[in-house]
């Protein structure tokens, strides 16, 4: 704040007397005299930049080397036939992308995935309701509508009678990944919130419960999957031993394609819900207590308080949890790789596992990079959409 | 320079330099190491040069440092890990050249290749490493392995079984020293099979010789004991796939013939139909994974466990029921059973030092000389005819009951590029039939098409 602004501020704050104003101006003048000589604007700016760079340099270097560089190299590799072990590095343009997204005799049909696409159109309609009412459409709404229409068109492509996708496993893995994310993200987030609410306040033992629920989160994936594989085993598992006396036959959770993904989701919930619980618990502590008192005075019940005070108060935590959880779910790998190996059949095959196998088992780093970038773009879009919708501040 | 342009310029320079660096990273070490010149240099290494050489070793079989530290008594070996570690200790302690072998990790077999690939991609592989037969061609083709002349190094490859000899060569050159073969066997609970009336007067299982006899056996076990005939790992396991492959090979067919996909064949269909009939009749089931199948059989809930040679010693010493083992039954036309093998290879090094290559071969030669120890301790099949036919070999538990497998029946998978991916493509289609009710013809057609794509 420069001197004139300071004076103006003080004038606004103390408008009542000349004396006070004079005193304030004297003080301001003294303060100005005590300061070191001012640098020219340009030099100041450069000095600030220098310190700014110095402060961010440690992070920036690591970020460049371990994040930006791999992403840029993956982008470069995706245009190559890049062998993990050999010296073959042939530029092949967009062939990896074609292999990922295209096939032989691919045709467009209005009936393909009909109901899913009707759902997409319904979403378009929902997006347009607000702008039509306001008679004004924002850039975000235009982008959303165009994006959904793009999805609508893309879902119309499918192999013809004698056709096939070049990489059908990619589509199966994408479908399973989306399913896993769509199911696990809201459940884990909601359960975390419910548990945080249940343990809210100074209830006896709530800290212990928080620790107990958080404990699985610190376990490595190998331990978690081992525990659950044993627990769910139809032969010697604890669950089977509990259910058998109740007359329920042991369920082969991991070897039945109808239950395998469910088992992986349950394992993931147990493993990670504690983290969200802690996040929400921290968020709940930050909600202004006086708002609850005010709401009580206005006659609000628990539900009304939750909807009108708690939820707006933890809006940013909800956004953070949802974005982080969605990103984590898109990257599901360890549980699937150890518990089911992507099976039975392809019922739990997920994108990261397919990328891993393509790159490290089949040595095709170029194609694996192309799929990684696709997943990166997908996660980016989902995160932006979540931030756009959940991050909107209605209080303004 | 304008301050606002600094970040942009820095980012551009960093990105450009990294991309350029990226073009130069990776391997490309496979130069000239596999040629005749290097073979001659390896042979020319003298005893003096070898003195005190230290080499690194990368292997599977897990970690057992605590139980084997300082142990050189081969009789103490009771598992794969202990056997290889004690052999390594013995070599370190007793080899005449003072060569020392340092182990770099000991992963399980299914995660081993990630670390091995990473070491090659990083340009720092171990001097000696172990591989399965099906993986050899992937590395030999990429010039990542050193070839050598076994005869010139006193490695008696003529004593190896025909299958073992074939499995260590690629493009008419030898790239590995064989260590073992391992196949699937029928591990028998003689109590259950006896109750079904399938044990003969000599106390040996009466095994089926065709599909009808197999079904009759399944029916008898089911009716008389209420148990399934076999426990097989179907879920997240390869055992059912191995049965399928055995039945294909028993018909004289294979899944890759002359470099072309041969999955959509009458033989593959017949193999799957046989398995499906066993499933439909309740003689085997698809609900067990690897450990589940073993548990089921160990609890006396089935007559036969389909598992590999690696289980023989453990079951012989721990089974709480009558235990014996037989060759995997020949149900189709000719004796054949899925098999794989372990072997020792020399990854190409950056410095191409013939002394280290020679030292590694000395160690590989020692291991080849001691395949009897390895086979006795693990249940695996020695790759040498002289060992299998020796007077001592049958003294180890149950070994006399699978010498046919050892010498005749074992059938390695096709030695083609990227077999692991090809096998996975076929296996996934078979799983679609077993678990998702996919039509068999459609599954085989898709497998054929996918494998054909992969082979291009």
């Amino acid at each position: 704040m420069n001197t004139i602004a300071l004076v103006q501020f003080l004038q606004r704050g103390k408008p009542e007397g000349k004396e006070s104003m004079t005193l304030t101006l004297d003080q301001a003048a003294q303060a100005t005299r005590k300061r070191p000589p001012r640098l020219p604007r340009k030099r100041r700016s450069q000095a600030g930049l220098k310190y700014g760079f110095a402060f961010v340099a440690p992070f920036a270097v690591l970020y460049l080397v371990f994040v930006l560089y791999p992403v840029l190299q993956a982008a470069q590799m995706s245009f190559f036939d890049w062998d993990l072990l050999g010296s073959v590095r042939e530029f092949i343009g967009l062939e990896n992308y074609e292999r990922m997204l295209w096939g032989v005799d691919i045709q467009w049909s209005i009936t393909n995935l009909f109901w899913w696409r009707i759902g997409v159109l319904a979403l378009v309609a929902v997006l347009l309701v607000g702008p039509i009412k306001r008679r004004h459409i924002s850039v975000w709404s235009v982008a959303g509508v165009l994006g959904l229409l793009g999805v609508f068109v893309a879902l119309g492509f499918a192999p013809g009678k004698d056709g096939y996708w070049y990489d059908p496993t990619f589509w199966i893995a994408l479908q399973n990944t989306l399913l896993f994310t769509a199911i696990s993200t809201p459940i884990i987030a909601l359960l975390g919130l419910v548990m945080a609410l249940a343990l809210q306040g100074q209830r006896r033992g709530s800290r212990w419960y928080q620790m107990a629920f958080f404990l699985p989160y610190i376990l490595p994936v190998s331990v978690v999957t081992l525990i659950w594989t044993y627990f769910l085993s139809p032969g010697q598992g604890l669950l089977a031993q509990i259910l058998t006396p109740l007359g329920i036959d042991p369920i082969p959770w991991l070897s039945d394609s109808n239950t395998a993904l469910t088992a992986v989701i349950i394992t993931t919930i147990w493993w990670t819900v504690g983290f969200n619980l802690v996040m929400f618990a921290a968020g709940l502590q930050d909600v202004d207590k006086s708002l609850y008192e005010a709401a009580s005075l206005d006659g609000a019940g628990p539900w009304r308080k939750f909807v009108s005070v708690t939820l707006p108060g933890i809006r940013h935590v909800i956004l953070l949890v949802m974005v982080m959880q969605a990103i984590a779910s898109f990257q599901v790998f360890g549980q699937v790789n150890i518990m089911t190996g992507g099976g039975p059949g392809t019922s739990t095959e997920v994108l990261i596992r397919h990328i891993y196998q393509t790159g490290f088992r089949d040595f095709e780093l170029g194609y694996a990079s192309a799929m990684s970038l696709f997943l990166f773009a997908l996660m980016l879009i989902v995160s932006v959409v979540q931030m756009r919708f959940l991050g909107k501040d209605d209080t303004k | 320079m304008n301050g606002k342009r600094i970040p942009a310029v820095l980012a551009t320079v960093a990105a450009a330099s990294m991309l350029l660096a990226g073009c130069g990273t990776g391997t490309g070490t496979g130069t000239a190491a596999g040629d005749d010149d290097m073979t001659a240099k390896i042979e020319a290494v003298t005893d003096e040069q070898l003195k005190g050489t230290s080499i690194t070793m990368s292997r599977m079989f897990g970690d057992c440092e605590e139980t084997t530290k300082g142990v050189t008594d081969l009789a103490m070996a009771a598992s794969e890990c202990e056997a290889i570690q004690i052999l390594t200790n013995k070599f370190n302690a007793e080899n005449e050249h003072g060569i020392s072998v340092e182990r770099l990790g000991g992963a399980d077999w299914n995660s081993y290749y990630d670390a091995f690939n990473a070491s090659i991609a990083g340009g720092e592989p171990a001097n000696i490493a172990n591989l399965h037969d099906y993986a050899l061609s992937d590395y030999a083709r990429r010039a990542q392995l050193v070839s050598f002349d076994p005869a010139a190094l006193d490695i008696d490859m003529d004593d190896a079984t025909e299958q073992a000899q074939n499995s260590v060569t690629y493009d008419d050159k030898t790239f590995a020293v064989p260590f073992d073969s391992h196949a699937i066997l029928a591990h028998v609970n003689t109590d259950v099979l006896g109750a079904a009336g399938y044990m003969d007067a000599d106390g040996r299982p009466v095994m089926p010789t065709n599909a009808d006899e197999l079904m009759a056996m399944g029916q008898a076990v089911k009716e008389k004991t209420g148990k399934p005939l076999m426990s097989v790992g179907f879920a997240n396991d390869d055992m059912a796939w191995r049965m399928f492959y055995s039945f294909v090979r028993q018909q004289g067919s294979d899944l890759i013939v002359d470099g072309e996909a041969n999955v959509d064949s009458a033989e593959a269909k017949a193999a799957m139909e046989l398995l499906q009939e066993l499933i439909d009749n309740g003689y085997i089931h698809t609900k067990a994974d690897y450990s589940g199948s073993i548990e089921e059989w160990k609890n006396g809930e089935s007559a036969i466990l389909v598992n590999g040679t690696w289980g023989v010693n453990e079951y012989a010493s721990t089974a709480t029921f009558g235990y014996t083992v037989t060759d995997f039954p020949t149900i189709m036309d000719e004796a054949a059973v899925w098999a794989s093998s372990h072997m020792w290879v020399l990854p190409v090094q950056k410095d191409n030092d013939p002394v280290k290559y020679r030292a590694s071969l000395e160690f590989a030669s020692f291991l080849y000389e001691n395949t009897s120890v390895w086979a006795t301790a693990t249940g695996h099949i020695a790759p040498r005819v002289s060992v299998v036919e020796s007077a001592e070999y049958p003294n180890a538990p149950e070994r006399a009951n699978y010498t046919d497998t050892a010498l005749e029946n074992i059938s390695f998978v096709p030695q083609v590029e990227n077999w692991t991916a090809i096998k996975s493509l076929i296996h996934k289609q078979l799983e679609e039939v077993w678990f998702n009710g996919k039509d068999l013809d459609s599954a085989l057609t898709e497998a054929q098409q996918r494998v054909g794509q992969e082979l291009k």
Side-chain angles (χ1 to χ4, degrees):
Chain A
M1 196 182 285
N2 61 33
T3 314
I4 295 166
L6 178 67
V7 170
Q8 284 171 344
F9 169 76
L10 292 169
Q11 279 174 335
R12 280 199 299 274
K14 299 265 186 186
E16 61 275 1
K18 219 175 181 179
E19 278 181 12
S20 63
M21 183 180 153
T22 312
L23 184 68
T24 311
L25 277 170
D26 285 348
Q27 285 173 334
Q30 279 175 7
T32 310
R33 277 198 295 274
K34 282 177 189 169
R35 283 182 189 157
R38 297 172 64 81
L39 295 167
R41 195 184 183 89
K42 191 174 174 183
R43 280 186 63 194
R44 261 189 299 149
S45 159
Q46 282 187 355
L49 195 66
K50 196 167 69 183
Y51 288 122
F53 269 119
F55 275 112
V56 298
F59 169 76
V61 168
L62 294 175
Y63 182 80
L64 275 172
V65 173
F66 293 109
V67 179
L68 197 61
Y69 167 51
V71 171
L72 290 172
Q73 197 183 24
Q76 181 207 16
M77 286 158 76
S78 71
F79 298 108
F80 284 78
D81 178 5
W82 192 300
D83 193 290
L84 174 69
L85 303 182
S87 50
V88 177
R89 272 152 208 194
E90 185 191 348
F91 182 77
I92 55 170
L94 294 172
E95 273 184 37
N96 283 327
Y97 292 94
E98 187 189 3
R99 177 179 166 191
M100 174 171 58
L101 301 170
W102 207 244
V104 172
D105 189 25
I106 302 299
Q107 298 171 355
W108 193 84
S109 156
I110 192 74
T111 54
N112 188 51
L113 295 172
F114 184 73
W115 291 110
W116 283 100
R117 291 162 76 198
I118 292 292
V120 172
L121 283 184
L123 273 179
V124 171
V126 169
L127 264 187
L128 286 173
V129 168
I132 288 170
K133 271 187 185 169
R134 291 195 299 268
R135 299 192 174 187
H136 170 74
I137 187 160
S138 67
V139 178
W140 282 104
S141 297
V142 173
V145 168
L146 289 178
L148 286 172
L149 288 176
V151 172
F152 175 80
V153 173
L155 290 178
F157 288 105
K161 190 170 170 290
D162 297 319
Y164 52 87
W165 296 110
Y166 288 133
D167 184 5
T169 309
F170 168 76
W171 294 108
I172 294 165
L174 176 62
Q175 194 180 316
N176 288 337
T177 306
L178 290 174
L179 190 65
F180 178 86
T181 306
I183 297 173
S184 68
T185 303
I187 292 179
I188 296 173
L190 194 67
L191 202 61
L193 178 58
V194 170
M195 289 161 73
L197 287 168
L199 298 175
Q200 196 181 5
Q202 299 302 315
R203 290 174 195 224
R204 202 173 161 190
S206 68
R207 290 275 170 214
W208 287 104
Y209 279 112
Q210 281 189 15
M211 274 174 61
F213 287 123
F214 187 76
L215 198 64
Y217 189 73
I218 63 171
L219 297 175
V221 66
S222 50
V223 175
V224 172
T225 49
L226 198 65
I227 290 170
W228 277 86
T229 305
Y230 277 129
F231 179 71
L232 296 172
S233 167
Q236 68 267 38
L238 185 61
L239 186 63
Q241 288 179 26
I242 294 169
L243 294 179
T244 306
L246 303 175
I248 302 170
D249 286 338
I251 302 163
W253 289 91
L254 299 175
S255 51
D256 187 328
S257 52
N258 296 313
T259 53
L261 193 63
T262 309
V264 173
I265 289 173
I266 292 171
T267 305
T268 309
I269 291 171
W270 181 82
W271 186 27
T272 59
V273 74
F275 180 73
N276 292 345
L277 160 67
V278 171
M279 296 282 282
F280 280 122
L284 287 170
Q285 282 181 356
D286 287 345
V287 180
D288 191 349
K289 301 286 179 292
S290 62
L291 293 175
Y292 289 107
E293 288 171 22
S296 297
L297 289 173
D298 288 343
W303 175 249
R304 186 71 194 166
K305 279 190 217 168
F306 174 70
V307 172
S308 300
V309 179
T310 309
L311 278 185
I314 58 167
R315 175 184 286 275
H316 293 99
V317 180
I318 294 175
L319 173 68
L320 182 67
V321 166
M322 289 297 281
V323 171
M324 284 175 62
Q325 193 58 56
I327 289 173
S329 295
F330 271 118
Q331 297 182 73
V332 59
F333 170 68
Q335 308 94 297
V336 170
N337 198 44
I338 299 172
M339 290 176 79
T340 65
T346 50
S347 55
T348 55
E349 191 64 85
V350 287
L351 266 181
I352 293 279
R353 189 173 183 276
H354 187 43
I355 291 167
Y356 155 74
Q357 293 215 311
T358 304
F360 294 98
R361 186 195 66 186
D362 306 344
F363 312 116
E364 296 182 274
L365 274 192
Y367 183 48
S369 299
M371 288 193 285
S372 304
L373 286 176
F374 179 90
L375 182 60
F376 170 70
L378 190 65
M379 289 195 294
L380 193 66
I381 291 168
V382 170
S383 300
V384 167
V385 169
Q386 281 182 320
M387 285 177 160
R388 183 65 204 151
F389 283 94
L390 290 173
K392 208 188 281 177
D393 194 348
D394 295 336
T395 55
K396 280 179 186 169
Chain B
M1 188 184 285
N2 186 328
K4 285 180 182 173
R5 290 174 59 197
I6 293 174
V9 171
L10 276 177
T12 311
V13 170
S17 60
M18 285 170 176
L19 281 175
L20 287 172
C23 291
T25 57
T27 52
T29 52
T31 53
D35 63 15
D36 295 338
D37 185 35
M38 181 51 73
T39 308
K41 284 182 185 170
I42 293 171
E43 288 165 18
V45 172
T46 62
D47 289 353
E48 194 60 34
Q49 286 175 300
L50 273 179
K51 214 167 188 177
T53 305
S54 63
I55 55 171
T56 52
M57 168 197 201
S58 122
R59 63 159 175 82
M60 35 195 118
F61 312 126
D63 198 1
C64 51
E65 196 83 7
E66 287 177 10
T67 55
T68 57
K69 199 167 187 181
V71 179
T72 54
D73 180 4
L74 296 171
M76 301 286 284
S79 67
E80 283 184 333
C81 181
E82 289 179 355
I84 187 61
Q85 195 55 49
I86 292 172
L87 279 169
T88 308
N89 292 349
K90 190 172 171 65
F91 178 78
N92 278 339
E94 297 174 6
N95 81 83
E96 58 180 310
H97 305 293
I99 299 167
S100 63
V101 182
E102 184 198 345
R103 182 174 65 85
L104 304 175
D108 286 334
W109 72 271
N110 48 2
S111 58
Y112 167 76
Y113 286 97
D114 289 346
F116 184 60
N117 290 343
S119 71
I120 293 181
E124 299 285 341
N127 297 109
I128 183 166
N130 78 320
L131 292 181
H132 290 100
D133 56 299
Y134 54 78
L136 180 85
S137 57
D138 285 333
Y139 301 96
R141 187 180 69 84
R142 290 176 168 84
Q144 296 291 358
L145 302 179
V146 179
S147 66
F148 55 90
D149 178 8
L153 298 161
D154 292 333
I155 297 172
D156 182 13
M157 206 66 91
D158 290 338
D159 186 35
T161 61
E162 190 184 337
Q163 299 97 323
Q165 288 187 42
N166 291 335
S167 70
V168 294
T169 58
Y170 175 80
D171 205 13
D172 295 330
K173 286 181 178 173
T174 301
F175 283 93
V177 177
F179 195 39
D180 69 32
S181 302
H182 42 275
I184 57 171
L185 300 168
H187 300 267
V188 178
N189 179 330
T190 56
D191 298 348
V192 176
L193 212 56
Y198 274 83
M199 296 298 291
D200 67 15
D202 299 330
R204 296 296 305 155
V206 180
M207 295 303 281
T209 57
N210 57 49
D212 290 340
E213 288 179 13
L214 178 64
M215 296 303 156
M217 187 181 191
Q219 192 178 5
V221 172
K222 194 176 177 185
E223 282 178 2
K224 291 179 182 168
T225 68
K227 293 166 183 174
L229 174 64
M230 293 176 180
S231 293
V232 184
F234 266 82
N236 198 12
D237 189 45
D238 281 354
M239 213 56 72
W241 145 267
R242 289 165 183 161
M243 278 182 78
F244 161 77
Y245 186 71
S246 301
F247 290 144
V248 170
R249 298 288 281 135
Q250 286 185 4
Q251 297 169 80
S253 183
D254 209 334
L255 300 172
I256 311 284
V257 175
D258 297 331
E260 299 284 332
N262 188 43
V263 188
D264 195 6
S265 66
E267 292 83 5
K269 190 174 179 183
M272 278 299 280
E273 284 173 344
L274 181 62
L275 278 167
Q276 197 59 49
E277 196 177 346
L278 287 166
I279 296 167
D280 292 343
N281 289 333
Y283 305 153
I284 59 178
H285 66 83
T286 61
K287 292 174 183 172
D289 57 11
Y290 179 69
S291 58
S293 67
I294 296 170
E295 200 66 26
E296 180 181 75
W297 173 76
K298 274 188 165 179
N299 289 340
E301 295 300 319
S302 66
I304 294 170
L305 171 71
V306 179
N307 198 5
T309 48
W310 51 88
V312 172
N313 281 14
E314 182 201 334
Y315 305 149
S317 61
T318 63
T320 53
F321 45 75
Y323 169 75
T324 191
V325 69
T326 73
D327 298 306
F328 185 77
T330 303
I331 304 299
M332 306 298 208
D333 312 324
E334 54 191 78
V337 64
W338 168 91
S340 185
S341 69
H342 294 121
M343 53 182 63
W344 297 101
V345 296
L346 278 55
V348 169
Q349 304 294 320
K350 270 182 186 166
D351 57 4
N352 264 332
D353 182 359
V355 177
K356 295 244 179 188
Y357 288 144
R358 176 62 182 268
S360 305
L361 279 168
E362 292 290 335
F363 181 45
S365 176
F366 169 82
L367 293 172
Y368 184 63
E369 291 299 321
N370 285 282
T371 51
S372 56
V373 176
W374 174 250
T376 305
T378 61
H380 290 314
I381 298 164
R384 304 183 65 168
V385 177
S386 63
V387 174
V388 177
E389 292 183 340
S390 68
E392 299 80 27
Y393 189 74
N395 293 338
E398 300 288 337
R399 299 305 192 278
N401 294 324
Y402 56 98
T403 47
D404 281 353
T405 298
L407 296 174
E408 304 291 337
N409 302 358
I410 56 173
S411 301
F412 293 129
V413 295
Q415 198 186 60
V416 291
E417 183 187 330
N418 218 355
W419 167 255
T420 313
I422 289 171
K423 178 254 160 193
S424 172
L425 291 173
I426 303 169
H427 193 179
K428 281 204 181 302
Q429 288 304 316
L430 303 188
E431 286 190 327
E432 290 292 331
V433 176
W434 293 327
F435 298 114
N436 296 340
K438 188 170 181 172
D439 172 63
L440 176 56
D441 288 324
S442 309
L444 292 177
T445 304
E446 183 165 348
Q448 170 83 14
Q449 171 219 319
R450 300 284 305 278
V451 173
Q453 255 178 279
E454 185 70 30
L455 286 169
K456 276 178 190 168

